[in-house]
Amino acid sequence: MLDLNFVRDNLPLVEEKLRQRGMDPAEVLGNFSAIDQERRRDITTLETAKRRRNELSPKIGVLKQAEKRGTLSGDQQKELENLAKAVAAEKSTIEQFELRVREDDEKLLQVLKTIPNLPNESVPIGTSAEQNVEVRRWGAPPKFDFAPKPHWELGEQLGVLDLERAAKISGARFAVYWDLGAKLERALANFMLDLHTKEQGYTEVLPPYMVNSESMYGTGQLPKFASDLFRVPHGERDLWLIPTAEVPVTNLYRDEIIDGARLPISLTAYTPCFRSEAGSYGKDVRGIIRQHQFQKVELVKFSRPEESYEQLEKLTRDAENVLQKLGLHYRVVTLCTGDMGFSSAKTYDIEVWLPGQQLFREISSCSNFEAFQARRANIRFRPEGKSKTEFVHTLNGSALAVGRTWVALVENHQQPDGSVHIPEALQPYMGADRITPKKF
RNA sequence: GGAGAGGUGCGUGAGCGGUUGAAACGAUCCGCCUCGAAAGCGGACAUACCUUAACGGGUAUCGGGGGUUCGAAUCCCUCCCUCUCCGCCA
């Protein structure tokens, strides 16, 4: 969420940034200015009435007490009656305008909540993924003197990926991993967590996989994207399955004031992610690229505003490091204004090369949300030596989506005999140097 | 699931119908003292919103929401959370 005062004072800028995102400012902002002005008028009326009431109340108190003691004169009796009448009048104004202000607040908040974050100046302007800008490439595509297979064929032949039985027990877009396939998932997760915690300075956390609605609002999944989520009925207050560890981990500090000396805070978490993706049926139906449940190692940072872009670069490099150690060819692209997520001010996607499909595929998305999430989730910090609090900047990125890393590893390291070579860095975690075909 | 206790500012913790935005202590910040520091002394110290050119003024906030009252941190209802005991359970 953007700051109300900022939007009011910088309307032309906000409109321009909305256009850059390919949105119609008039449609998003609606009658923002009219609502804002009406709200402020109503607040002033309401508060004036309250002020009068507060001035009159103590006078009534004094007279009432005199009445109790029976020392009330005739004049005072009259005054008391007049005061009571005056307060009653203010009270009806208060009741009326409390209602109106509440409605105004709701209307205004509704507009404010639908305004996406403003893209940073360094973000390329564009309307779709076509205009994303490649910033660097690492490695080279592996050379094969045979036709490399896609992971769903390899997985089946190796006996490590079972989509048929997954469909039987759960449905489409779920997977069962067997034997070394299951172990590969676990090995990748452990490898990534060890890298982040031992070499890159992150602290590991294990959060709940279900969260309440407030948390989903805090990071921006609600109210706009409810249809992408799995909802769990639970008494009066339903819970939600997390679509990413970003949700519980960023909300760790919701409604808190962080000691400035502790920043930046760098956390990593390995969790399953649940996505309903109601709108995406028909896309990526083959294999395990798009699933209702997948596992991901996430990086989350809480940063001072002035160093958040530096932290974004670091975070992105930390994610890239995983691919480098696994010997997987990839490129990094800066998402253009039209392709960026709702809450992000700048996003780098890391795309890994998939030889079985001859294309680059998103495996990580690293974003700086600036104060957008922090304002909504009320995450502040106190700079050293100052009493005034400020909103932190929040960042996160996958490092990496484990399921897609599994895919990339299997496709890139496949051998002519149908086996898959395990990169050296991963061998200690696998206890094997290759996966060979086996029936399940 | 049953019984009880409680949720107050950055923290500990008083207040239990009117002068309490909230005592006291601690933390933090600014002065004084000091070669410097500690200790000591003095002072400052919530947030959001409305209003104002500004100084300032106002409103709200004592877990969330609702109610009683001229007036609520204080009384009532409800929800959430924490703690203690019992039961159940991985």
Side-chain angles (χ1 to χ4, degrees), chain A residues 154-345:
Chain A
L154 284 163
E156 199 182 334
Q157 285 160 15
L158 290 167
V160 296
L161 183 64
D162 187 353
L163 297 177
E164 261 178 58
R165 288 197 177 94
K168 176 173 69 181
I169 61 175
S170 296
R173 294 189 184 279
F174 286 94
V176 174
Y177 300 85
W178 290 84
D179 197 32
L180 285 181
K183 194 166 186 187
L184 176 57
E185 170 87 19
R186 178 158 58 94
L188 284 168
N190 283 335
F191 164 69
M192 292 180 198
L193 287 169
D194 280 351
L195 178 65
H196 302 320
T197 55
K198 289 178 184 167
E199 292 178 30
Q200 298 172 342
Y202 291 81
T203 301
E204 184 174 349
V205 292
L206 197 158
Y209 303 155
M210 287 190 262
V211 300
N212 56 31
S213 298
E214 288 76 23
S215 298
M216 286 295 184
Y217 275 104
T219 32
Q221 279 73 22
L222 288 179
K224 269 197 94 176
F225 306 102
S227 63
D228 293 342
L229 304 170
F230 283 104
R231 185 178 196 148
V232 184
H234 181 252
E236 301 277 297
R237 305 174 74 228
D238 290 354
L239 293 170
W240 304 84
L241 292 180
I242 58 170
T244 159
E246 165 195 348
V247 177
V249 176
T250 303
N251 276 284
L252 284 173
Y253 291 104
R254 172 150 52 88
D255 292 321
E256 291 193 23
I257 298 170
I258 302 169
D259 178 5
R262 295 189 51 205
L263 297 176
I265 294 174
S266 302
L267 304 176
T268 182
Y270 171 64
T271 71
C273 304
F274 302 93
R275 296 189 182 177
S276 176
E277 313 241 19
S280 63
Y281 285 98
K283 227 167 132 188
D284 302 314
V285 285
R286 308 220 53 184
I288 55 169
I289 288 295
R290 197 172 296 273
Q291 298 275 286
H292 285 316
Q293 177 195 324
F294 63 96
Q295 282 70 238
K296 186 154 62 73
V297 173
E298 186 78 358
L299 303 178
V300 174
K301 280 178 185 273
F302 301 86
S303 161
R304 288 163 200 290
E306 61 269 23
E307 61 170 20
S308 68
Y309 278 93
E310 194 183 311
Q311 291 296 331
L312 177 63
E313 296 301 321
K314 259 185 96 169
L315 186 145
T316 308
R317 299 281 182 180
D318 290 338
E320 288 174 54
N321 201 225
V322 176
L323 290 170
Q324 292 176 9
K325 286 198 155 46
L326 294 175
L328 297 171
H329 174 49
Y330 69 86
R331 64 174 186 177
V332 179
V333 301
T334 307
L335 297 194
C336 74
T337 50
D339 199 30
M340 252 181 1
F342 179 79
S343 306
S344 176

Side-chain angles (χ1 to χ4, degrees), chain A residues 1 28-29 32 35 103-115 223-224 342 376:
Chain A
M1 191 167 68
V28 176
L29 294 172
F32 169 85
I35 300 170
E103 284 167 8
D104 295 338
D105 278 349
E106 232 160 82
K107 279 191 234 164
L108 195 66
L109 203 61
Q110 206 160 352
V111 175
L112 215 52
K113 276 185 176 173
T114 53
I115 304 174
K224 269 197 94 176
F342 179 79
R376 203 187 263 223

Side-chain angles (χ1 to χ4, degrees), chain A residues 2 6-7 10-30 32 111-120 125-127 224 336-342 344 372:
Chain A
L2 296 176
F6 179 86
V7 176
N10 299 278
L11 218 45
L13 173 70
V14 173
E15 287 171 351
E16 170 57 22
K17 293 284 184 181
L18 283 172
R19 270 191 292 274
Q20 287 182 5
R21 274 183 178 265
M23 304 174 101
D24 177 6
E27 199 182 306
V28 176
L29 294 172
F32 169 85
V111 175
L112 215 52
K113 276 185 176 173
T114 53
I115 304 174
N117 204 354
L118 307 180
N120 182 264
I125 293 168
T127 53
K224 269 197 94 176
C336 74
T337 50
D339 199 30
M340 252 181 1
F342 179 79
S344 176
F372 194 82

Side-chain angles (χ1 to χ4, degrees), chain A residues 354-413:
Chain A
L354 297 185
Q357 303 160 59
Q358 294 289 304
L359 49 76
F360 282 106
R361 189 78 216 206
E362 177 188 339
I363 197 166
S364 171
S365 193
C366 304
S367 302
N368 184 357
F369 302 97
E370 299 190 359
F372 194 82
Q373 289 181 331
R375 189 173 296 112
R376 203 187 263 223
N378 194 27
I379 307 170
R380 293 169 292 167
F381 76 103
R382 199 182 302 283
E384 296 96 316
K386 290 190 181 163
S387 63
K388 190 93 179 146
T389 59
E390 278 180 62
F391 289 113
V392 299
H393 281 192
T394 59
L395 303 90
N396 69 57
S398 10
L400 302 162
V402 180
R404 290 190 179 182
T405 310
W406 192 102
V407 166
L409 193 139
V410 167
E411 289 197 11
N412 277 281
H413 293 310

